Amino acid sequence: MTSLQDLPPELYPAIVQHLTSKDLKSCVLVNSFFQGLTQCVLFLHVRVVRGVPARIEFFGSPRGSQLIKHAKCLSLGYEFWEIQDDKHVSSFFHALDQSKVDTARLTDITRWEDIPGPVLRGLYVVLMPRLHSLTFNNVCNIPLTAALSHCPMLRRLELQTFTTVAATAADGVDLKALPNVRHLDLTYWDADDLAGTTSLHTYLEAKGTFIESLSLEAFQNNSADFSMNLFPSLKPSLRQLTFEYPDFEELKHSLHLNEFRKLERLRFITYTDASYWFDCFHFLHEELEQHSATSSLQYVQVQVTLDSGKHVDFANSENTSSESVASVSLANFPHLHLHVIIRVREIMEDEERTRVKAPIEDYDRFQQAIEASLWWWVQASRLIVTRDYDWKEDSTW
C-alpha cells in the first residue's frame, strides 16, 4: 500500500473520528485529499461569520453552504442578525434545511422584534422545528410561548446571560401543543423581571410536569421568592437539580428536598472560599436530616473550584464534620453517595484566569483537606473524590 487512497473508502470515517481537530487541520494543509474526509468532523459545530450567512472561514476557503450540511450544532451570533441581503439569508436557510442540525445557540439579539422578517421566518420554519436543544444567550424580549410553539421536538431549553422574555400572553398559542422540554437551564435570570417570570410560569404550569432536569445559576434578586413559585410545577417529575453558586441562606427557605419524591441527583457548583464550602454542607446535612427515608435521592455532587497555591482550611468547621448530623443523614439514605469534583485554577500576574494546568501537589493537598473535613462520609465509604484536570473556565458548549 503506497497511499491512503489504497484503503477501502468505507474505512476512512473510522480513521478520521479518532483524530483530533488539530491533527485533521494539519492533514488538510499537507494534502487536499483530506479535505473531503475531515469536513464531517471539523464542521460538526458551525459558527456563521460576517458576510454570506453560510460562510465558514476555514483556511480562507468560504464554502459554507457545502459545509453546513455536516453540522449538528449551530451558533448564530451578532454577525448573523446584521445581514441585510435576502438572497444570502435564503441561501443559508436552504443549506440549513439539508443539514443534520438539531442543536442551536442564538446569541446577542438586541431585541427579538428587530429580527428581519426573512430571518425570523427562517428561524420559525426551517431551524426551530428540527431542534432537540435550543439556547438563548443574551437575547432580549423573546416571545417565549410563540417561539416554543415552533419547536415540537425540543427537549432542552437554556435561557442564559441576561436573556429576557417579552411581556406577552399566550396569544392564541395552544399551551398543550408546546414541546415537552425535559431539561431547563436558567442562568443569570433576574427574578425581579415580572414579565419574564410570568411568561416562564405560564409555560411551566402547562408543561412543568415533563421537566426532569433543572439547572439554576447565579440568580439575581429575590431568588428565594422565584424558586418558591418555580418549584411547585416541577416537584412531580424532577429527577436532577443543579445549583450553581447559590445563596444557601435564601435556598433553605425555598427548597425542601422531602417534597421532591423523584429527585435522584442533586448538584452544587460552589465558590472557592471555605466559608461557602461550609455553608454548602451545613445546608446539605440539615436537608438530609429532614428527608424521608422513602426519598429516591441517591447521589449528591459538589464541584469546588480552588485557587492554586492558596491555603483553604476545610476542616475548621463543626458543620461539615459533625458525627451526629452526618450519621443521621447517612442512616436515612443507605444508597446515597457524595461525589466531590476538585478543580484548581492558576491566577496569572494580571489576575486573568486561564485554562487550568495546576500542579498535582495542589490537587493532592486539597483532596486531603476535603477528605479530612468529610471524614464521616469517608468512614462510611460514601465519599468519591475526583479531579478535573482539563476543565476550561468560561467555556461554552
Side-chain angles (χ1 to χ4, degrees):
M1 186 177 69
T2 58
S3 69
L4 187 62
Q5 286 97 323
D6 294 333
L7 285 174
E10 58 267 22
L11 293 181
Y12 295 163
I15 296 172
V16 168
Q17 68 179 351
H18 293 292
L19 299 177
T20 65
S21 294
K22 183 178 179 180
D23 291 336
L24 291 172
K25 290 178 182 179
S26 299
C27 290
V28 173
L29 286 174
V30 172
N31 191 331
S32 60
F33 172 75
F34 284 94
Q35 195 165 41
L37 298 179
T38 59
Q39 287 177 4
C40 60
V41 176
L42 289 178
F43 299 99
L44 188 63
H45 292 72
V46 178
R47 178 169 177 78
V48 175
V49 298
R50 187 179 300 276
V52 180
R55 177 179 173 223
I56 309 301
E57 288 186 343
F58 175 62
F59 302 115
S61 176
R63 300 192 301 134
S65 293
Q66 300 171 34
L67 299 174
I68 198 172
K69 66 182 180 181
H70 300 295
K72 281 183 65 65
C73 304
L74 177 69
S75 176
L76 300 179
Y78 70 92
E79 305 97 333
F80 184 77
W81 316 116
E82 294 180 354
I83 295 168
Q84 302 295 324
D85 191 322
D86 290 353
K87 183 182 293 185
H88 288 169
V89 171
S90 176
S91 172
F92 169 75
F93 282 110
H94 177 74
L96 178 62
D97 197 30
Q98 310 301 315
S99 76
K100 301 176 182 178
V101 168
D102 62 13
T103 299
R105 188 171 192 263
L106 310 183
T107 187
D108 297 330
I109 303 177
T110 305
R111 292 195 308 170
W112 187 268
E113 56 266 35
D114 291 340
I115 296 177
V119 175
L120 189 61
R121 283 193 296 274
L123 292 179
Y124 281 165
V125 175
V126 180
L127 177 62
M128 290 186 172
R130 66 195 305 125
L131 294 180
H132 295 165
S133 176
L134 175 60
T135 299
F136 294 105
N137 182 63
N138 194 27
V139 178
C140 295
N141 264 18
I142 306 168
L144 188 63
T145 51
L148 292 180
S149 69
H150 295 278
C151 307
M153 297 192 296
L154 196 67
R155 292 299 176 263
R156 176 181 292 275
L157 174 64
E158 301 185 15
L159 305 177
Q160 297 182 345
T161 315
F162 309 113
T163 288
T164 60
V165 175
T168 57
D171 290 340
V173 175
D174 181 3
L175 295 178
K176 293 182 180 180
L178 292 177
N180 299 329
V181 170
R182 306 291 186 187
H183 308 278
L184 177 63
D185 187 328
L186 303 177
T187 304
Y188 287 102
W189 185 271
D190 186 353
D192 276 350
D193 177 8
L194 182 60
T197 299
T198 301
S199 295
L200 185 61
H201 284 158
T202 298
Y203 171 76
L204 292 178
E205 286 174 0
K207 294 292 184 174
T209 55
F210 291 94
I211 293 178
E212 298 176 355
S213 174
L214 173 67
S215 179
L216 304 174
E217 177 183 357
F219 264 46
Q220 296 183 302
N221 307 315
N222 298 321
S223 59
D225 291 342
F226 177 83
S227 299
M228 289 180 69
N229 293 323
L230 177 71
F231 290 147
S233 302
L234 309 178
K235 288 175 183 177
S237 59
L238 205 63
R239 294 182 181 275
Q240 178 170 308
L241 182 56
T242 300
F243 294 99
E244 299 191 36
Y245 318 117
D247 182 328
F248 287 104
E249 190 62 31
E250 289 194 353
L251 198 59
K252 70 182 182 182
H253 296 299
S254 58
L255 178 68
H256 304 290
L257 292 178
N258 60 334
E259 298 177 358
F260 293 83
R261 293 298 181 180
K262 291 187 177 180
L263 189 66
E264 298 172 355
R265 303 168 69 90
L266 180 63
R267 297 179 63 232
F268 295 103
I269 298 176
T270 70
Y271 289 115
T272 60
D273 91 42
S275 63
Y276 197 83
W277 171 267
F278 302 148
D279 289 344
C280 175
F281 280 97
H282 182 59
F283 168 82
L284 177 61
H285 285 152
E286 282 191 335
E287 281 295 318
L288 291 180
E289 271 193 304
Q290 299 172 24
H291 231 50
S292 165
T294 60
S295 167
S296 56
L297 188 65
Q298 298 179 13
Y299 180 82
V300 177
Q301 182 188 98
V302 179
Q303 177 183 296
V304 58
T305 305
L306 304 159
D307 291 335
S308 177
K310 185 177 180 180
H311 174 71
V312 180
D313 186 6
F314 292 106
N316 186 25
S317 169
E318 295 179 358
N319 293 334
T320 57
S321 59
S322 168
E323 177 177 339
S324 60
V325 172
S327 61
V328 170
S329 303
L330 296 179
N332 285 343
F333 299 92
H335 303 294
L336 178 63
H337 284 79
L338 173 63
H339 180 197
V340 178
I341 298 176
I342 304 173
R343 291 178 167 183
V344 181
R345 63 186 176 188
E346 292 182 320
I347 302 179
M348 312 306 287
E349 291 184 1
D350 59 1
E351 295 190 355
E352 289 186 359
R353 290 169 166 79
T354 60
R355 181 174 180 175
V356 174
K357 284 295 180 185
I360 297 296
E361 291 77 11
D362 276 333
Y363 284 92
D364 292 338
R365 180 167 55 87
F366 288 131
Q367 181 167 344
Q368 291 170 6
I370 287 170
E371 289 176 347
S373 71
L374 299 171
W375 67 272
W376 189 257
W377 291 81
V378 175
Q379 189 177 45
S381 299
R382 302 289 193 85
L383 179 65
I384 305 167
V385 179
T386 59
R387 306 172 180 192
D388 186 359
Y389 292 113
D390 296 317
W391 67 286
K392 290 183 179 181
E393 194 157 25
D394 297 325
S395 62
T396 57
W397 284 31

